[in-house]
Amino acid sequence: MTVGIDKIAFFAPDTYVDLTDLAQARDVDPNKYLIGIGQSEQTVVPVTQDAVTMAANAASKLLTETDRQALGMVLFGTESGVDHSKSAAVYLRSLLDLPASIRTVELKHACYGATAGLMMAKDYVTLHPEKKVLVIGSDIARYGLNTPGEVTQGGGAVAMLVSQNARILALEDDSVVKSEDAMDFWRPLYRKEALVDGHASENIYIDFFTAVFDDYQKLTGRTIEDFDALAFHLPFTKMGLKALRAVLPQANDLKQQRLLEAFEASRVYNRRVGNLYTGSLYLSLMSLLANGELPAGSRIGLFSYGSGAEGEFFAGQLMPDFDPQALQADFAQFFGQRRRVSVPAYERLFNQSLPDHDVLLDTKADSARFVLRGITHDQRQYQDRTKA
Ligand code: COA
C-alpha cells in the first residue's frame, strides 16, 4: 500500500512588498536581498488574516465531501498559533464544517510542525487505510521592521491531504530525525516577533542537514545519485542552496547539474512568497512539482528543519497520475492577482496588530474567503464569506 500526499493546496494573502523597494528604503544594495538572500518579493499579511484563516483558505480548496467523511485527524502545524490553549485545528474544523468525530490537534516545533503532522498522518493512515488526514502548515513570519531578519519575513499556508493510493507523492518508510536543544530562533510567549541568531541558525541548519542525510544514506544504502531532486525548508531560498552545496560534491557532474536545476525549480514560488515557516518546505515541493518537469517515479528527498532544533530527511516518489498543470494554473492566478504595496503601506500593515480588547475589523481590503472579523468577549470571530 502506498501512503502519501494525495492533494496539496496553498494560500497566501494577496498583498506583497517588492524587495527592491524594501532594499532602497533600507539603504541596502538590492542584490543583497535578490542574490545574497535569494528573495525577490514578500507576502504582507493583513490583520484580517491569521494562521487559522490562512489554513481554512488553503484547505477549503482541496476537500471534497468524500474526503470530509473519511477524515480521521486534522494536524495543524504552526508556530504562530492564535491561542495559548485552544487548538487552531478545532477552529479550522469549525470553519470547514468538518465532522465532529475527528481528532484535532495543533503541533508546534518551529518550522518543523507540519512535517511532524505529515509523519503522524502517514503512520495513522498505514494503520487505518480507509482514513484520510488533513495536515496543515500555516504561519506568519515576523522578525520586525528594520531588523536583519526583515527580508526573511512572509506568510501563508499549505494544506495536504494524506491518504492511501496517494496521487502526488508516495512517502517512503525510511526517514532520519535529529533533535537538539538549540537557541537559534525562538519566540517567548510575550513577543509578537521572533528572536533569532541568524548566522547560528544557518550553521545549525546545515549541520542538521548533513547529519541526517549522512545517516539516511547509512540506513538505506542509497546515495545522492538515487535522488532526482532535493527539496528544502526555505526560510529564504539561499538557505536551501547552501545546504545543497554542502552535499553536491557527493554527486557526479551530470547529477550535480540536475539537482541544481531541480533546486532552481523548487525555489521559484518561495522566492516570491517569502517565509511560511511550517509551510515553506511544502511550498517548495509545490514549486518543484510545478516547475521541475520531473517524470513519474522520480525520487524526491525532503529536508525539514525547525529551529530549537529538529531536522528530518525523508523521501517520496512522484506518482504517475500527478499532473502539474492545475498547480501551475493556480499559482499563475495567485501571482497575477496580487497587489504590490509600497514600503510605507507595508509598514502600516505590519504595525496593525490585534488589540487585547474587543474590536471589529474592517475586512473590505481583504479578498479572501475566510477572514478574521474581530474579537468579542476575548473570542476570535471568524467569517466564511460564502455564508450569509
Ligand atoms: N550582492 C550580493 N550578495 C550580497 C550583497 C550584494 N551586494 N551583500 C551581501 N550579500 C550576501 C552576503 O555575502 C551573504 O551571503 P552568504 O550568506 O552566502 O555569505 C548574504 O548576502 C547575507 O548577507 P549577511 O551580511 O550575512 O546578512 P545579514 O547579516 O543581514 O543576515 C540572515 C542574513 C539570513 C542571517 C538574516 O536575514 C536572518 O537572521 N534571517 C532569519 C534567519 C532564520 O529565519 N533562521 C531560522 C530559520 S532556519
Side-chain angles (χ1 to χ4, degrees):
M1 178 175 66
T2 58
V3 175
I5 302 171
D6 186 52
K7 296 183 184 177
I8 191 164
F10 165 78
F11 170 85
D14 63 359
T15 36
Y16 75 96
V17 64
D18 186 281
L19 292 185
T20 301
D21 294 348
L22 186 66
Q24 277 156 4
R26 301 290 180 252
D27 202 17
V28 168
D29 178 350
N31 282 338
K32 174 173 175 183
Y33 293 174
L34 304 177
I35 300 167
I37 299 288
Q39 294 298 126
S40 49
E41 294 163 5
Q42 183 176 109
T43 300
V44 177
V45 183
V47 71
T48 47
Q49 290 294 316
D50 64 16
V52 170
T53 56
M54 293 192 299
N57 284 311
S60 59
K61 294 185 194 172
L62 53 69
L63 292 179
T64 63
E65 194 46 39
T66 314
D67 296 332
R68 286 165 195 275
Q69 295 312 321
L71 275 184
M73 299 201 283
V74 176
L75 298 176
F76 196 126
T78 185
E79 63 179 273
S80 34
V82 299
D83 194 289
H84 292 320
S85 171
K86 183 162 171 162
S87 167
V90 80
Y91 278 119
L92 183 64
R93 193 205 69 75
S94 155
L95 275 177
L96 298 179
D97 287 327
L98 302 178
S101 56
I102 52 178
R103 193 173 286 146
T104 51
V105 186
E106 181 175 320
L107 301 166
K108 178 166 69 184
H109 198 314
C111 303
Y112 174 76
T115 302
L118 186 62
M119 294 301 150
M120 290 176 192
K122 175 178 179 294
D123 292 349
Y124 176 84
V125 173
T126 303
L127 205 59
H128 306 280
E130 76 291 355
K131 291 289 190 187
K132 302 184 182 192
V133 179
L134 178 62
V135 177
I136 302 289
S138 181
D139 275 300
I140 303 170
R142 288 173 67 93
Y143 291 85
L145 303 177
N146 279 297
T147 63
E150 182 178 31
V151 67
T152 67
Q153 297 180 141
V158 174
M160 295 177 276
L161 190 67
V162 176
S163 73
Q164 67 170 327
N165 303 324
R167 284 168 290 182
I168 300 179
L169 196 72
L171 294 171
E172 295 181 346
D173 287 333
D174 304 307
S175 86
V176 172
V177 190
K178 174 180 161 76
S179 70
E180 190 178 290
D181 187 356
M183 290 306 286
D184 57 333
F185 168 107
W186 68 107
R187 185 161 69 88
L189 291 176
Y190 49 84
R191 284 189 63 99
K192 289 196 167 73
E193 278 85 42
L195 295 168
V196 63
D197 186 343
H199 294 291
S201 80
E202 293 183 90
N203 293 335
I204 298 175
Y205 178 116
I206 291 173
D207 287 350
F208 268 53
F209 170 58
T210 51
V212 290
F213 190 55
D214 201 31
D215 284 351
Y216 176 89
Q217 296 186 62
K218 286 185 193 129
L219 177 75
T220 62
R222 293 194 190 106
T223 71
I224 197 167
E225 302 291 340
D226 293 305
F227 289 94
D228 300 291
L230 295 174
F232 295 88
H233 165 54
L234 295 179
F236 51 100
T237 73
K238 179 71 163 292
M239 187 67 253
L241 183 59
K242 287 184 184 187
L244 177 61
R245 282 179 179 156
V247 297
L248 219 43
Q250 297 175 18
N252 69 35
D253 288 353
L254 182 61
K255 182 60 78 177
Q256 289 197 21
Q257 190 193 325
R258 294 264 158 81
L259 290 173
L260 281 167
E261 283 165 9
F263 178 76
E264 287 307 322
S266 79
R267 69 164 161 172
V268 173
Y269 298 155
N270 301 66
R271 169 181 266 289
R272 300 188 62 187
V273 172
N275 197 352
L276 306 188
Y277 288 162
T278 45
S280 293
L281 169 61
Y282 302 99
L283 176 61
S284 177
L285 174 65
M286 293 171 96
S287 186
L288 173 65
L289 297 180
N291 302 299
E293 296 174 15
L294 291 176
S298 294
R299 176 176 286 116
I300 301 171
L302 298 104
F303 175 62
S304 180
Y305 176 77
S307 292
E310 178 119 353
E312 181 155 357
F313 184 83
F314 59 103
Q317 280 193 36
L318 193 57
M319 299 310 287
D321 291 340
F322 172 70
D323 176 6
Q325 281 177 1
L327 213 50
Q328 291 159 353
D330 267 4
F331 278 94
Q333 190 185 18
F334 166 71
F335 287 119
Q337 290 177 351
R338 286 204 307 176
R339 288 174 293 131
R340 177 172 170 171
V341 297
S342 65
V343 172
Y346 141 69
E347 291 176 342
R348 270 196 306 279
L349 286 164
F350 187 90
N351 285 327
Q352 260 174 17
S353 59
L354 265 188
D356 56 6
H357 53 74
D358 288 4
V359 66
L360 185 64
L361 298 173
D362 181 354
T363 55
K364 276 199 296 293
D366 191 332
S367 63
R369 172 176 165 185
F370 295 95
V371 291
L372 176 64
R373 281 294 283 136
I375 303 179
T376 309
H377 304 311
D378 289 317
Q379 297 169 22
R380 286 191 178 226
Q381 305 298 318
Y382 291 112
Q383 185 184 11
D384 176 354
R385 284 159 150 174
T386 62
K387 294 181 178 167

